[in-house]
């Protein structure tokens, strides 16, 4: 069963006034899955023809099932941002503030590192379409940071607004200066960043150095 606030649920809500056919819902589900992978690999410029091809449907079916390419991308990106907000909520409920912040940071950076489109959306590439979701995510990051600072496990000489930029910096490209990133490069970057935010001893670095 699709949640009303999921991408499929939002798109199926446009079929107002009658119960959608099973085949129509299956097509929407395939289109949403295809859109998520296309956004991750191509970015927010992923086109309708490319998404339809990945979904195994014709462009005509694509436009019968979704109001527009923009509406589809907004629904999918909003769904992903809701998922990361859910991670933030679980992290806020963690007994240990530092462990909660680290759990969220890892999920946030992994998403940025693995999805080109999410990185673009978090950077504001979608205009004001995702303003509400981004505002909710900012508020959760503020609470995570201030909770860790209040517990005395995170340095207090920087405002919470620095943290999203630091986390974004952990998701680097595959190559720089002729060197190839290690298999766990973003995790190493993140560990260095988190250790720089701690008030206690640094943790061991994961993975191997880039070569």
């Amino acid at each position: 069963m699709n949640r009303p606030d999921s991408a499929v649920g939002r798109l199926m809500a446009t079929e107002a006034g009658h119960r959608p056919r099973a085949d129509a819902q299956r097509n929407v589900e395939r289109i949403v899955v295809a859109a998520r992978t296309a956004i991750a690999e191509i970015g927010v410029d992923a086109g309708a023809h490319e998404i339809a091809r990945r979904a195994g449907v014709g462009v005509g079916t694509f436009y019968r099932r979704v109001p527009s390419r923009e509406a589809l991308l907004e629904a999918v990106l909003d769904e992903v941002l809701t998922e990361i907000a859910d991670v933030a909520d679980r992290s806020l409920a963690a007994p240990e503030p530092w462990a909660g912040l680290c759990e969220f940071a890892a999920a946030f950076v992994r998403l940025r590192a693995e999805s080109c489109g999410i990185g673009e959306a978090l950077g504001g590439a979608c205009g004001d379409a995702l303003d509400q979701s981004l505002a909710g995510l900012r508020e959760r990051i503020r609470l995570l940071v201030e909770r860790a600072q209040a517990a005395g496990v995170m340095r207090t000489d920087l405002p919470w607004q620095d943290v999203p930029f630091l986390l974004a910096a952990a998701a680097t490209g595959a190559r720089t200066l002729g060197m190839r990133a290690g298999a766990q490069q973003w995790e190493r970057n993140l560990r260095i960043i988190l250790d720089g935010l701690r008030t206690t001893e640094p943790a061991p670095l994961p993975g191997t150095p880039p070569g």
Side-chain angles (χ1 to χ4, degrees), residues 109-110 170 183-192 205-206:
V109 178
R110 179 182 295 109
Q184 294 177 274
Q185 191 64 53
W186 71 261
E187 295 174 77
R188 291 174 63 82
N189 296 346
L190 177 60
R191 177 52 54 197
I192 293 168
L205 287 176

Side-chain angles (χ1 to χ4, degrees), residues 125-140:
C126 297
D128 59 2
L130 299 173
D131 276 358
Q132 185 173 351
S133 295
L134 293 175
L137 193 52
R138 287 195 299 271
E139 176 63 9
R140 288 167 170 85

